[in-house]
Amino acid sequence: TIGFDVPGLVEIKKNGKVGYFNLETQQQIVEPLYDMIIPYTADNSFALVKQDTLYGWIDHAFQYHEGFPSAAAEQLVDKYEFLPKNLVLKGDAKAFCEIPNQEYMGAGIIMPPSYMVTTGILSEIVSGISTAEVPLNAWTEYIATGSTMLESITDKIQAVVTTINERYIEGREEFYTYDRLVLVNHQHDTLAVSDINSSSKINFHKLNDTLLELQYESNQPEGSDFDEFNIPAYTYFRLNAGTAATPCTSHRRFPQSQFVKLDSSYLSGDFKRYTDKGEENVSFLSLATVTYIRNEILADYGYSFPGSEIAENYKYYKWYKPQFDKEEDLQDLLTEEDRHNLAFLAKIISLLQGGKAV
């Protein structure tokens, strides 16, 4: 990390720990003993450092001291206020490098400092940034971090959400904005990192001691495949006593049907729908959308949908392996959630088909 925060200094790494080397004096000034170094020049200090679960600080003589130099420094760490706002990584950045190889000509890399990497905001190597006016082997003009939000999830876990903006050169969509979500414990250890394609505030719901639900409005630059074009998106994490958080993976476009026993709250809301008369506000998902949610559960178990063209919706997905011609044949494979949701959605579909209010 060449001169990222302090001119002439390089953050060095050895055996997974970081320190500082001075390019001008050709001397190692901070031994690589720390998980991350946070530049901090207030309170007569040079930097704050984290070593496993312990914090300390280094003075301007590069001597180590335990704890924090002040309450303000401790708050800076606790509230993640040390994360830079409006940081832009682009070709003219001081910390920019280009691999000296013709194969990578025009493609630059940036190695962010440890406090950006350890917290999960940026990768250890950010590559593919264009260094030339005419793109050669890279198509990213810049990557920028925006505002950071901190929210408590449990008494042991917090969420750090940072807005990331990227601009691609000559791409089909030039600008991309998403939220980098990092779940951390109170020792500021990173538990999980996930990118959320959100265009709205993320709502966090701890459903139980083991499951965290995120609800948000998804960015849909090319519109919706469903009747409603503002259906909330959901993402889930498995929690383990505040010591671990694991993203839940799902094949489904409606993952809530996999991890939660659905009720009408997941099907109702303030939706918008296009009709022949223009834009229409509705309070419940359409029959077609609810039917899709139910069919998607069956497809996930390999139902073949005999006598219909429904299977065409899934044939290009590698996970879809049709093998059952009857719903009864897959009953023994269903999870408790899926068994509930298939029955619940069947009732809703019957009501909607009959034109009854739900």
Side-chain angles (χ1 to χ4, degrees):
T1 306
I2 303 172
F4 199 99
D5 293 296
V6 183
L9 292 190
V10 179
E11 190 178 80
I12 56 175
K13 189 173 185 179
K14 182 179 180 180
N15 297 327
K17 304 294 184 179
V18 294
Y20 273 146
F21 184 87
N22 191 316
L23 289 174
E24 296 177 0
T25 63
Q26 294 291 295
Q27 291 180 328
Q28 177 180 283
I29 59 173
V30 176
E31 190 175 354
L33 299 172
Y34 309 104
D35 296 300
M36 69 174 174
I37 303 176
I38 303 170
Y40 183 74
T41 56
D43 305 316
N44 296 316
S45 66
F46 172 72
L48 307 175
V49 293
K50 182 175 186 282
Q51 189 175 33
D52 298 323
T53 60
L54 301 177
Y55 278 90
W57 59 284
I58 295 173
D59 61 28
H60 289 281
F62 309 117
Q63 298 299 308
Y64 174 80
H65 306 267
E66 291 184 359
F68 291 97
S70 68
E74 185 172 7
Q75 177 175 302
L76 182 89
V77 172
D78 284 342
K79 302 297 184 182
Y80 284 82
E81 295 172 354
F82 60 87
L83 294 176
K85 297 175 177 60
N86 303 316
L87 171 68
V88 179
L89 307 180
K90 58 186 301 186
D92 59 0
K94 293 180 181 179
F96 204 84
C97 304
E98 183 175 326
I99 300 173
N101 184 303
Q102 187 171 357
E103 179 183 354
Y104 299 101
M105 185 178 297
I109 63 174
I110 292 177
M111 291 169 280
S114 57
Y115 65 89
M116 297 289 289
V117 176
T118 302
T119 52
I121 304 302
L122 294 173
S123 301
E124 191 167 34
I125 296 178
V126 179
S127 60
I129 299 179
S130 180
T131 63
E133 292 185 6
V134 178
L136 297 174
N137 293 311
W139 295 91
T140 302
E141 180 180 349
Y142 66 78
I143 298 174
T145 65
S147 59
T148 295
M149 178 193 75
L150 182 67
E151 183 158 339
S152 293
I153 304 302
T154 71
D155 58 347
K156 296 180 179 179
I157 296 178
Q158 292 178 300
V160 182
V161 183
T162 301
T163 302
I164 307 287
N165 298 289
E166 299 186 18
R167 183 177 190 271
Y168 293 92
I169 304 170
E170 296 186 9
R172 188 161 57 118
E173 293 287 339
E174 288 192 341
F175 295 94
Y176 292 85
T177 300
Y178 55 92
D179 289 322
R180 175 67 48 82
L181 168 69
V182 183
L183 296 181
V184 299
N185 60 22
H186 280 201
Q187 288 74 46
H188 310 109
D189 299 318
T190 298
L191 304 178
V193 179
S194 182
D195 289 339
I196 306 297
N197 190 25
S198 171
S199 62
S200 64
K201 181 181 183 296
I202 300 174
N203 297 308
F204 296 89
H205 305 122
K206 183 190 172 191
L207 300 181
N208 53 53
D209 289 338
T210 64
L211 189 64
L212 173 66
E213 178 184 82
L214 279 61
Q215 181 199 58
Y216 51 93
E217 188 171 324
S218 176
N219 283 322
Q220 295 178 321
E222 297 179 356
S224 173
D225 294 331
F226 305 100
D227 292 341
E228 303 80 11
F229 58 87
N230 64 331
I231 303 174
Y234 292 84
T235 297
Y236 294 88
F237 289 84
R238 291 290 180 193
L239 305 178
N240 181 15
T243 61
T246 307
C248 298
T249 58
S250 177
H251 301 308
R252 305 178 193 178
R253 299 181 68 176
F254 294 88
Q256 58 268 39
S257 72
Q258 183 170 347
F259 304 110
V260 178
K261 288 184 178 180
L262 299 178
D263 56 35
S264 59
S265 67
Y266 286 90
L267 308 179
S268 57
D270 184 16
F271 304 123
K272 298 183 184 298
R273 183 187 301 162
Y274 284 126
T275 67
D276 294 339
K277 299 179 181 179
E279 185 177 298
E280 179 185 26
N281 293 321
V282 295
S283 60
F284 205 85
L285 294 179
S286 69
L287 172 62
T289 302
V290 175
T291 301
Y292 182 95
I293 298 174
R294 188 174 192 276
N295 288 341
E296 188 178 47
I297 299 174
L298 296 171
D300 205 7
Y301 284 91
Y303 185 54
S304 63
F305 302 96
S308 74
E309 298 180 354
I310 295 174
E312 292 292 311
N313 295 326
Y314 311 104
K315 69 178 183 179
Y316 295 110
Y317 294 107
K318 292 182 179 180
W319 56 263
Y320 181 52
K321 302 184 186 304
Q323 54 185 314
F324 299 109
D325 294 332
K326 298 179 180 179
E327 288 190 33
E328 308 90 77
D329 295 338
L330 51 82
Q331 288 299 313
D332 291 340
L333 303 176
L334 297 175
T335 64
E336 185 178 342
E337 287 80 8
D338 284 329
R339 186 173 286 105
H340 166 89
N341 291 337
L342 286 173
F344 169 72
L345 292 170
K347 292 180 181 178
I348 297 297
I349 290 170
S350 178
L351 290 172
L352 292 174
Q353 287 174 333
K356 297 180 181 180
V358 179

